[in-house]
Amino acid sequence: MAYKPQYYAGNTIVAQNRRNHMSNNVQKVREISDEDLTACLGHRAPGSDYPSTHPPLAEMGEPDCPIRQIVTPTAGTAAGDRVRYVQWADSMYNAPAVPYWRSYHAAMNHRGVDPGTLSGRQVVEARERDMEAVAKEQMETDMTCPGLAGLRGATVHGHSCRLQEDGVMFDMIDRRRLEGDVIIQDKDQVGVPLDRKVNLGKPMTTEEANKKTTFYRVGNVAYRDDPEAIEWCQKVWELRTLYGYQPK
């Protein structure tokens, strides 16, 4: 019998959304060009070559190693790319992704990544072209709403603030905003002005966000509404805290 991994307990829509992110069962809902992605990230000029920190692995003549025979290098590693980052802030008001879930998504579905999570931000470091693959996937799918999430390499504050009157998450340095019915971005993730406006697509409606969110919160799906998730969270806590994952 084929084994189907169970990534997260729970019987609510929030629990299912968390499973979707962890297993990469996400839907592409918008198109972001490579040039627009590069501009928003701000690490190099759109259309330019990837800077490198060492020659391609095929040219380095590394010593024989069984691990190198087993593990295929990522595209960025093979090319010698430098390490760069993508960092997100997600509104706590029912944004599709919780910061930890961006980390889980990257770590479970991409190789060579180094995710990190704080209360209101999430960063993935990797070889540059590998990082861009993660960023593009997250930007183009339903795990991101451009009105409730944004690329923020600096000045990440605002995730816990009330939404603006137009329903967009506050950004202290105004990297993105609602124009007409779409979100545009005209500064890169650290706030450097771009030479054009990048169209990030339409934000989710409140109803759509409520159905797509991975946040448990009163006013939508409260954590107490998901007994199975609470039961397994308690069980894991007990196994880790009382028994060191070694119950006798």
Side-chain angles (χ1 to χ4, degrees), residues 49-168:
D49 291 336
Y50 289 99
S52 59
T53 57
H54 61 74
L57 292 181
E59 301 176 6
M60 290 185 65
E62 295 180 301
D64 187 37
C65 170
I67 301 302
R68 291 194 181 96
Q69 297 175 15
I70 296 171
V71 179
T72 302
T74 66
T77 303
D81 289 359
R82 59 187 182 173
V83 172
R84 285 298 180 265
Y85 74 93
V86 55
Q87 183 164 277
W88 289 93
D90 293 276
S91 171
M92 62 177 288
Y93 289 93
N94 291 331
V98 180
Y100 264 112
W101 257 254
R102 289 193 185 276
S103 284
Y104 292 150
H105 172 269
M108 290 181 170
N109 298 290
H110 294 269
R111 296 190 305 120
V113 297
D114 183 12
T117 305
L118 291 87
S119 61
R121 72 189 80 171
Q122 189 278 333
V123 63
V124 172
E125 294 180 345
R127 301 289 186 136
E128 192 162 3
R129 72 190 71 198
D130 302 332
M131 174 276 295
E132 288 184 359
V134 177
K136 187 177 178 68
E137 185 170 71
Q138 295 193 359
M139 288 181 74
E140 291 187 333
T141 61
D142 60 356
M143 66 182 296
T144 297
C145 167
L148 299 174
L151 295 173
R152 299 189 184 184
T155 319
V156 300
H157 315 84
H159 71 283
S160 61
C161 294
R162 293 179 180 177
L163 299 178
Q164 298 171 166
E165 292 180 352
D166 58 7
V168 176

Side-chain angles (χ1 to χ4, degrees), residues 9 17 48 50 67 94-95 127 134 168 170 202 209 215 228 242:
N17 291 338
S48 64
Y50 289 99
I67 301 302
N94 291 331
R127 301 289 186 136
V134 177
V168 176
F170 170 74
K202 292 183 178 181
F215 275 89
E228 184 181 90
L242 302 179

